[in-house]
Amino acid sequence: MEENHQHLVVLDVPGIKKYVFGTNRLVEIRGGSALLEQLNSEDAPKLLKKELGEKNFHKVFFGGGAGQFVADADRETVENAMKKLQKYFLKVSKGGLNLIYGISPYIKNDYARSLDMAFMDLKIQKEEAPLSSCTQLHTGFIRECDSCADMTSPAPVKYGGETRMLCKVCAEKVEQGRKSEVQDELKKFLKTKGENISYGSMARTFEDIGKCCRSKEGYTALVYADGNAMGKLIKQISTLEDYRFFSQKVDEAVKTACYEAIYKHCRPVNGKFPSIVLLLGGDDLLVYMSADTAMPFAVEAARRFEEITGETFAENPFFLDLLKDKKTGEMQGLTISMGITYGKSHTPFPIMFSQSEELLKSAKTGGSEEIETLRKKGKAKETEEGKKPDKNFYSPSYIDYHITPRFNQLKVSDSRKNHLQISQGGDRVQLQLHRKPYSLKEAEALLNHAENLIRSDIPSTRLKRFGYAPFLGKMNGTLECLNLYVRTKEEQRLSIAGPMAQFKCFEDMPWEKEKVRQDGEEDQKDKKPIRTMLTDLMEIVEFCPAQPERR
């Protein structure tokens, strides 16, 4: 078939975060996510096959509010099919989801170039879209929706023992949320492991999940994850088959890693399941869960994602060549970074979501900085031509976390600047009362140390004093730590000395040992603050149950 009779189509649904997460009710978030998944992953391919013909439709991937496919048809036919799909999205979502798309001729064996042109067309469609109409004035004849505050004519909707006036969009999300279809795949996975999760055991509200926390009742966490260096890797793909393989394997890996981590660390508490998947597809993951399960889940999911992708991508010669370490010959799996926001069950969800996004960016920055540090030290891979760093598609997994109720700032950066940073002394020594973010190995070690502290039977009041010691300043913090350390039983000291020694905070307890300047290096003393990991460790201890239950 001639090239101009094949077209590559990319589709996107703008405003997903506002549509799904712009509310503080679990049933609407669950319903919005389920409806998006149904429209994007199931209905869209089915409708396109019907309009274009099953033989003319070549699916690449659909999920997470985006999709790509190749059509053996002229542009006019493709345009007509996409317009029908647009109308279908608007009709089913009651106007809440607006689909846009980009079309380009498909250039065989140059998928990357075809994709660039399709995304350019998508950008044009997005920027030239007409303005949507809206209510001009708030009058006595029009009432705001109780959920999204749109000025429409809402109708009463009953759920969870309360009646709310909701617009058509929010009412449809509630209807979808009642079905709890977003958890069907998870239920099927757990059933293969011999555990049946009934509809009645699934959480109906955030408060239900908060009651499942075994360490501090009422506390929950939101875990937001995203793949690392995916964009760099995608740009190297030149064929449709390799792109389809990449999309499919990444989607399968993130789902499997998520479900396995939930199975291992999230056991029902008092008949209720302590977690709920809000978004899962592509390389994105968003899970709301009890606070005691968040860090174990994050560590396990990140580790399994890297293992699974390492195994599956080794089967493909193209990705094997890209991801194999040239020095060791070992296959490097893809990685994923995570942001974890801890809060009480009544903490507004939009706040937790915004902070988890910020923490995710911080975690990704931590991984990029580690790679850059290795490059500067000459430990990064080099090519023979000019001794320049080779193309590296590996960025380590990092995890960052934050406890919202302890601070009164909406942004994590403001909380850390105002509450976790001290300037003191004549030379204005900068003290940083945290060490976040942590690499995956460091986060796993931190979690293990926290669990060891719980098992060591050190009084909780003493552990809290250890956590507050850095806030006393450089000298007083050290004196307080030494005083607490010597008063601890000898057999219990190792559980304190171990983590401090691993993170180089034992010699100058609790402060991280300052870097000794070598010849030819710049003096770092005035540039980098003195850090401590003790505060971070005690935060994890706070959410560790006395007896962690794991499969």
Side-chain angles (χ1 to χ4, degrees):
M1 188 170 287
E2 298 180 6
E3 274 190 7
N4 61 350
H5 285 291
Q6 280 191 305
H7 289 85
L8 173 63
V9 183
V10 296
L11 53 92
D12 185 35
V13 182
I16 288 178
K17 293 177 182 178
K18 181 181 178 182
Y19 173 77
V20 178
F21 307 119
T23 178
N24 199 37
R25 302 180 76 210
L26 179 57
V27 63
E28 291 179 33
I29 296 172
R30 189 172 64 226
S33 179
L35 184 58
L36 175 66
E37 180 68 16
Q38 175 193 319
L39 287 171
N40 190 207
S41 301
E42 299 177 17
D43 295 355
K46 188 183 297 183
L47 188 147
L48 290 168
K49 284 181 182 179
K50 179 181 178 182
E51 294 296 324
L52 298 171
E54 189 166 351
K55 293 183 178 180
N56 299 327
F57 174 78
H58 307 287
K59 174 183 173 182
V60 180
F61 88 93
F62 282 82
Q68 296 176 22
F69 69 92
V70 173
D72 294 340
D74 56 71
R75 187 180 181 100
E76 183 179 357
T77 302
V78 176
E79 286 269 11
N80 291 334
M82 291 307 299
K83 287 178 181 178
K84 289 184 178 180
L85 185 61
Q86 277 184 324
K87 293 179 181 179
Y88 182 79
F89 265 65
L90 289 171
K91 178 183 177 182
V92 175
S93 67
K94 302 297 188 288
L97 294 172
N98 182 28
L99 176 73
I100 60 173
Y101 60 89
I103 305 174
S104 75
Y106 174 59
I107 305 172
K108 193 173 183 180
N109 295 326
D110 198 349
Y111 193 84
R113 185 181 172 192
S114 305
L115 197 60
D116 286 342
M117 291 189 294
F119 273 116
M120 180 61 69
D121 188 50
L122 177 76
K123 184 178 180 182
I124 293 173
Q125 298 290 336
K126 186 175 182 179
E127 293 179 349
E128 293 183 354
L131 296 175
S132 58
S133 59
C134 63
T135 306
Q136 296 180 353
L137 296 174
H138 191 309
T139 68
F141 300 101
I142 299 177
R143 190 185 189 281
E144 289 183 355
C145 170
D146 287 342
S147 182
C148 66
D150 277 354
M151 290 184 287
T152 59
S153 299
V157 177
K158 294 182 179 181
Y159 181 81
E162 63 176 341
T163 301
R164 291 164 63 91
M165 300 296 291
L166 301 179
C167 63
K168 292 182 179 180
V169 174
C170 295
E172 182 61 27
K173 289 194 289 184
V174 171
E175 184 61 28
Q176 290 292 329
R178 295 178 196 269
K179 303 175 184 178
S180 190
E181 292 178 354
V182 72
Q183 304 300 313
D184 282 353
E185 285 191 18
L186 174 60
K187 291 178 183 178
K188 291 177 183 178
F189 177 86
L190 294 176
K191 192 172 183 179
T192 63
K193 298 291 185 178
E195 183 166 342
N196 292 317
I197 302 298
S198 64
Y199 175 75
S201 64
M202 302 303 295
R204 293 169 61 88
T205 64
F206 293 128
E207 286 71 19
D208 288 344
I209 295 179
K211 292 176 182 177
C212 294
C213 185
R214 291 165 294 158
S215 54
K216 294 186 72 174
E217 185 174 339
Y219 274 80
T220 59
L222 183 65
V223 182
Y224 192 9
D226 185 58
N228 296 324
M230 298 292 179
K232 292 181 181 179
L233 191 57
I234 287 175
K235 290 180 180 179
Q236 306 301 312
I237 301 175
S238 58
T239 67
L240 171 63
E241 291 73 20
D242 286 337
Y243 199 99
R244 181 184 287 134
F245 177 88
F246 173 82
S247 303
Q248 179 183 347
K249 295 304 179 183
V250 169
D251 185 70
E252 291 175 357
V254 74
K255 288 181 178 179
T256 302
C258 175
Y259 295 154
E260 287 185 1
I262 288 177
Y263 170 73
K264 185 173 182 178
H265 298 284
C266 301
R267 300 192 66 177
V269 178
N270 297 325
K272 287 292 183 180
F273 206 62
S275 66
I276 185 165
V277 179
L278 301 179
L279 185 66
L280 185 61
D283 61 339
D284 291 332
L285 178 156
L286 190 70
V287 184
Y288 192 93
M289 57 207 323
S290 59
D292 59 318
T293 61
M295 184 59 75
F297 165 83
V299 170
E300 180 71 14
R303 183 181 63 81
R304 286 295 293 138
F305 180 77
E306 188 168 353
E307 290 175 353
I308 294 169
T309 52
E311 294 169 0
T312 55
F313 280 85
E315 302 170 2
N316 186 301
F318 173 76
F319 292 102
L320 178 62
D321 181 63
L322 283 179
L323 299 173
K324 185 173 66 175
D325 191 302
K326 300 300 187 294
K327 290 184 178 180
T328 64
E330 295 180 357
M331 182 66 179
Q332 298 177 148
L334 302 180
T335 60
I336 195 166
S337 290
M338 299 196 178
I340 308 173
T341 301
Y342 291 91
K344 295 182 179 180
S345 57
H346 57 73
T347 302
F349 183 85
I351 292 178
M352 294 186 69
F353 180 71
S354 174
Q355 290 186 349
S356 64
E357 277 190 307
E358 187 180 353
L359 291 165
L360 177 59
K361 291 179 182 178
S362 172
K364 284 180 172 288
T365 300
S368 300
E369 289 177 350
E370 180 180 319
I371 291 296
E372 188 62 28
T373 300
L374 292 175
R375 287 178 181 274
K376 288 181 179 179
K377 289 182 178 180
K379 293 182 179 179
K381 293 178 285 186
E382 297 178 343
T383 59
E384 295 180 358
E385 299 80 16
K387 295 294 180 181
K388 295 180 180 179
D390 193 8
K391 292 180 180 179
N392 193 343
F393 303 102
Y394 180 84
S395 180
S397 297
Y398 264 69
I399 297 175
D400 200 354
Y401 59 94
H402 178 70
I403 302 178
T404 302
R406 289 190 174 179
F407 309 98
N408 56 5
Q409 275 81 23
L410 295 181
K411 294 186 65 176
V412 176
S413 57
D414 290 339
S415 298
R416 291 177 175 176
K417 180 180 179 181
N418 296 329
H419 300 282
L420 296 174
Q421 188 170 302
I422 300 176
S423 297
Q424 64 175 199
D427 56 353
R428 308 306 295 170
V429 175
Q430 293 288 330
L431 302 178
Q432 184 174 300
L433 309 183
H434 70 94
R435 194 183 173 275
K436 303 163 186 168
Y438 289 88
S439 68
L440 177 58
K441 291 183 178 179
E442 291 173 340
E444 188 171 9
L446 200 70
L447 178 61
N448 291 333
H449 288 307
E451 292 175 346
N452 286 336
L453 280 170
I454 291 294
R455 288 192 292 265
S456 67
D457 292 329
I458 298 176
S460 59
T461 53
R462 185 167 299 174
L463 292 177
K464 288 181 179 179
R465 287 183 64 183
F466 266 113
Y468 290 133
F471 291 84
L472 300 177
K474 184 69 166 66
M475 183 180 296
N476 291 333
T478 298
L479 292 174
E480 174 72 356
C481 280
L482 290 173
N483 177 44
L484 294 170
Y485 184 74
V486 298
R487 290 171 56 191
T488 302
K489 294 179 181 180
E490 187 173 352
E491 62 270 18
Q492 297 173 333
R493 291 179 185 174
L494 184 60
S495 59
I496 298 174
M500 287 193 176
Q502 180 175 349
F503 291 95
K504 301 178 181 179
C505 294
F506 187 73
E507 293 184 22
D508 192 17
M509 186 187 300
W511 309 105
E512 189 176 278
K513 185 178 179 181
E514 295 182 52
K515 178 184 176 183
V516 179
R517 184 170 62 89
Q518 305 292 333
D519 293 339
E521 291 185 355
E522 295 182 5
D523 189 356
Q524 298 293 323
K525 184 177 180 181
D526 297 329
K527 294 185 178 181
K528 292 186 177 180
I530 302 172
R531 305 183 301 176
T532 178
M533 50 71 64
L534 189 57
T535 306
D536 301 338
L537 175 63
M538 295 308 166
E539 286 180 346
I540 298 299
V541 168
E542 186 177 348
F543 295 114
C544 282
Q547 295 181 344
E549 293 185 5
R550 296 176 185 172
R551 294 180 178 84

